[in-house]
Amino acid sequence: MSEEYLPGIGLDVGTSFLQVARMKPDETVEFRSERDAFFVMVPQGKANARMIEQMLKQKGAFSLKEEGKFYIVGSHAIELANVRMQPVERPLKKGVLSDSETNTFGMLSKLIESILGKATTQGELCVYTYPADPIDEDFDIVYHKNRMSEILSGLGYKPMPLLESVALGYSELFNDVDNMTGVVISCGAGMHNLTMMHMGQDLFSFSIAQGGDYIDRHVAKQMQISETIVQAEKESGIDLLNPQDKLQKAISIYYDALINYVVDALEKKFAGLDQVPRFGTKVPVVIAGGTCLPNGYLEKVSLALLSKDFPFEIGDIRRATHPDALRSVANGCLVYARFELEE
């Protein structure tokens, strides 16, 4: 193991972001992130191909050349897509990997290698996230988990899968007040993942196969612009309670639609459960993920949750804070890895 870090790595494999968490010897946590995206450039002749290759090298862009095409991955893919007002491609669709689309496995492998690197010690533990089974769609989580393990094993790691929402619980509920008990919701680009926990145990988990991409897709269609432009606007500091122009208003409208869809699905799911724990106290709800970051989101989702009839009393509704709502899942994977490695 490298002397730069303690053993154990947390890896959050999201539809929009990859997040890595490592612990230094002084027990501070270091994070690295990368966009989970790629962009394809087709050269217009041999001279143009050489020029593209040279410019990508100068920019330090992580890319792959295959069959005469350049596949640029990560944040540089987003930059190029925005300049050309074209959409990026993503290795994951709604939180899972699928080989039905060309080169997705290879692109995800390159992205993970670029952010994680190869293991400094063979068999180093890497805890990575995977989504729960969705309640509104039918797709294969098993395939995704196995292919993820294949990528990490190929880099020399010992892969250990962990439900995305459970990882969030290990990051946010591990304190003297919550005692690892509560509802955690990871609001991602491809889907929402939820777990109800009691004393660190996963009582039940499920996912909803809609996320921030739903907003990007529908706003882009209505405004006749690229989805990457919508995504950039969402991340620019927009206030959902006070939109400033037509684009922000459209984003706010589709945020409302997404929130209502998710909360309605949660109410129906809980209503259909045979047994729901009787906690005897109010149950905290913690949310995280890129979709929950805009100003006004917490207020909107709180109103929606409190308007529904759940078989438990909702307590504090809050964003993740360890260290923030975007990196908390990776942090939870690291916490889990450190527990696994304790003697």
Side-chain angles (χ1 to χ4, degrees), residues 130-289:
Y130 71 96
D133 291 327
I135 61 175
D136 54 347
E137 286 196 25
D138 181 22
F139 50 73
D140 197 345
I141 303 297
V142 173
Y143 178 85
H144 173 79
K145 286 169 62 177
N146 278 272
R147 294 293 265 172
M148 274 300 308
S149 291
E150 182 181 335
I151 292 172
L152 292 170
S153 296
L155 294 173
Y157 296 98
K158 175 186 176 182
M160 178 176 289
L162 182 66
L163 277 171
E164 180 179 322
S165 44
V166 170
L168 177 57
Y170 271 85
S171 179
E172 301 301 315
L173 298 177
F174 186 49
N175 55 65
D176 293 337
V177 176
D178 298 319
N179 294 313
M180 288 295 289
T181 297
V183 173
V184 284
I185 308 174
S186 180
C187 313
M191 60 199 323
H192 282 66
N193 277 273
L194 179 143
T195 291
M196 175 170 273
M197 304 184 76
H198 180 249
M199 296 178 64
Q201 291 189 312
D202 172 10
L203 300 184
F204 51 83
S205 297
F206 54 88
S207 69
I208 299 168
Q210 293 289 359
D213 287 348
Y214 164 89
I215 298 167
D216 299 347
R217 184 168 62 254
H218 286 278
V219 172
K221 183 178 180 180
Q222 289 296 325
M223 304 297 291
Q224 297 185 340
I225 57 177
S226 168
E227 292 179 26
T228 56
I229 293 176
V230 180
Q231 185 181 42
E233 185 68 21
K234 281 164 49 184
E235 297 171 0
S236 68
I238 181 176
D239 186 345
L240 299 176
L241 301 177
N242 187 29
Q244 297 298 304
D245 54 32
K246 289 183 179 179
L247 176 55
Q248 292 190 4
K249 178 64 175 177
I251 291 172
S252 181
I253 287 171
Y254 281 103
Y255 252 105
D256 288 342
L258 177 63
I259 288 170
N260 289 333
Y261 176 82
V262 170
V263 173
D264 285 347
L266 294 182
E267 183 183 38
K268 290 177 183 177
K269 177 65 177 179
F270 279 110
L273 293 175
D274 293 331
Q275 291 184 330
V276 178
R278 297 181 179 180
F279 293 103
T281 59
K282 293 183 178 181
V283 179
V285 177
V286 183
I287 60 174

